[in-house]
Amino acid sequence: MKGLLLTPDERDMLEEECEMARIEDEASFQQSGSLTHTWYAVGRGCEVMSFLTRKSIKTFGAITMGANPKWHFRFEKEKFNGDSFIGLLKQLIRQYAEKTIHLLIENAPYHKGPKVRKWLEVNSSSIEVYFRPKYSPKFNATEYVWRKVKRQTTHNRYFKTAKELAGELFRRFN
């Protein structure tokens, strides 16, 4: 938990059930890639082919806390909404069927929608959610994963198709 600021209640919960605690977030990775500054020898540079497209790969991610963090992800075909969020929750429950999962999430509107609340009530023995403070990316460990993945996978890269981008992301996440 080094470097991660938590409230006292969150810290107690994580110490008791660190193995089942996860921090969840979402990110979109653009097919057109992203440009970033980099250093090259004088007279040499980097040319990145690109084209205008609005296609992206939307991804849910959840990371465990502790000495040996585990990463879980789910690609989303359409958009982030209550149904897609419930899909992630179902995936987590299937993977850890015999334990209660503690999931720290942000305050996205679809995290709090009526359909999600009802689903969480029905599945309260399998999963509990805790809301992070608004606008607190520094408290969210998945933000660091997104930043590293974008730096190593999409910055200064050209992807001909969304499928090619999804393949690179899949390799990076695994």
Side-chain angles (χ1 to χ4, degrees), residues 39-154:
W39 293 98
Y40 281 91
V42 176
R44 299 180 57 108
C46 175
E47 186 175 308
V48 179
M49 292 180 11
S50 187
F51 59 94
L52 295 176
T53 182
R54 296 187 70 151
K55 292 182 181 177
S56 64
I57 303 296
K58 292 164 185 53
T59 310
F60 283 103
I63 191 167
T64 61
M65 301 298 298
N68 299 310
K70 293 178 183 165
W71 175 250
H72 303 273
F73 70 95
R74 175 186 171 93
F75 292 143
E76 186 52 48
K77 292 181 182 178
E78 303 265 334
K79 59 183 177 180
F80 297 126
N81 59 27
D83 291 329
S84 60
F85 182 58
I86 289 171
L88 172 71
L89 299 177
K90 287 178 180 179
Q91 177 182 335
L92 290 172
I93 287 175
R94 271 193 311 271
Q95 193 157 3
Y96 300 99
E98 298 178 14
K99 298 183 180 183
T100 301
I101 298 167
H102 298 277
L103 190 65
L104 286 76
I105 61 176
E106 294 182 329
N107 288 281
Y110 54 85
H111 287 163
K112 299 177 179 182
K115 192 171 187 176
V116 172
R117 280 185 279 151
K118 184 178 179 182
W119 190 91
L120 286 169
E121 284 176 23
V122 171
N123 294 281
S124 62
S125 63
S126 300
I127 193 162
E128 293 181 24
V129 298
Y130 304 86
F131 291 95
R132 306 286 308 152
K134 290 183 180 182
Y135 308 110
S136 58
K138 290 183 180 180
F139 299 152
N140 189 339
T142 54
E143 293 288 349
Y144 298 97
V145 174
W146 299 140
R147 186 179 325 138
K148 185 173 183 174
V149 168
K150 286 182 179 183
R151 188 178 306 131
Q152 294 177 347
T153 307
T154 65

